[in-house]
Amino acid sequence: QQQVKQSPQSLIVQKGGIPIINCAYENTAFDYFPWYQQFPGKGPALLIAIRPDVSEKKEGRFTISFNKSAKQFSLHIMDSQPGDSATYFCAASNSNSGYALNFGKGTSLLVTP
Amino acid sequence: ETGVTQSPTHLIKTRGQQVTLRCSSQSGHNTVSWYQQALGQGPQFIFQYYREEENGRGNFPPRFSGLQFPNYSSELNVNALELDDSALYLCASSLVRGQSYNSPLHFGNGTRLTVT
């Protein structure tokens, strides 16, 4: 059973656009929500993470929005660049009792010049 | 500070064979986790080791086993390989048991296993 549902599966935007990737979860015990970026032939790299006690976090051009009541969170990439073309994964875990990071299925992003 | 390193990078095995994959944790990290990533999918948790003991396990059969050594390096062993075991196997380390905002998972680049 997929504990974190991610959409869309793929996304194409023009340079400068703002791609948005959405994730939803059911387990209210989750308290850690990271996003990972993966390039072909590489392992996932931590991009940004958020705790459920904040509604938004920004790091550079990347922003996470978090809606605890809706059990949803999303990644926004401002002023997207061709170098942002990669696969993005949202994930969630319970840092107190869990040991597994539960990943979404991923979103393949292509930013065209 | 060295990151997580895995070996080999690629491996081809025949169904029924056994395989051992190796991982060196990031310096200072005492917890190692293994994930399986099938093509086009997100990583799936296999198990985690903390101080040389299995700390948790995902939905994988017993033919998937692991070891963590005193220097925090780790091995993933898979017996009786099946075609569906073809995947990218990722090792990740963290500063403390589990993962959290203050102790995120850091992944290696993986071992691509192909079972024919």
Side-chain angles (χ1 to χ4, degrees), chain B residues 25-61:
Chain B
S25 301
Q26 185 164 323
S27 177
H29 288 189
N30 61 18
T31 301
V32 65
S33 303
W34 286 91
Y35 285 76
Q36 180 195 65
Q37 186 177 21
L39 203 59
Q41 301 294 316
Q44 295 290 315
F45 175 72
I46 302 175
F47 43 56
Q48 182 178 92
Y49 278 81
Y50 172 69
R51 293 185 176 178
E52 303 174 54
E53 292 191 0
E54 188 177 289
N55 184 48
R57 189 179 187 92
N59 189 26
F60 281 81

Side-chain angles (χ1 to χ4, degrees), chain B residues 54-77:
Chain B
E54 188 177 289
N55 184 48
R57 189 179 187 92
N59 189 26
F60 281 81
R63 58 188 185 85
F64 286 78
S65 63
L67 283 173
Q68 185 184 28
F69 301 101
N71 65 354
Y72 304 133
S73 65
S74 176
E75 288 182 354
L76 165 66
N77 298 288

Side-chain angles (χ1 to χ4, degrees), chain B residues 89-104:
Chain B
Y89 287 86
L90 295 162
C91 173
S93 69
S94 56
L95 198 57
V96 297
R97 185 165 53 183
Q99 58 275 317
S100 67
Y101 191 83
N102 296 316
S103 175

Side-chain angles (χ1 to χ4, degrees), chain A residues 42-105:
Chain A
K42 300 292 186 181
L46 180 66
L47 194 60
I48 186 173
I50 197 168
R51 290 182 287 216
D53 54 345
V54 299
S55 59
E56 186 176 275
K57 181 176 180 183
K58 292 183 180 180
E59 283 188 5
R61 296 184 293 108
F62 300 92
T63 299
I64 300 178
S65 297
F66 189 86
N67 186 330
K68 188 174 181 178
S69 60
K71 292 183 286 186
Q72 294 176 348
F73 57 112
S74 59
L75 176 70
H76 298 62
I77 305 176
M78 307 301 177
D79 186 28
S80 59
Q81 301 296 312
D84 296 330
S85 297
T87 301
Y88 293 81
F89 294 95
C90 60
S93 74
N94 180 338
S95 61
N96 291 322
S97 63
Y99 35 74
L101 191 54
N102 302 280
F103 284 85
K105 289 190 174 183

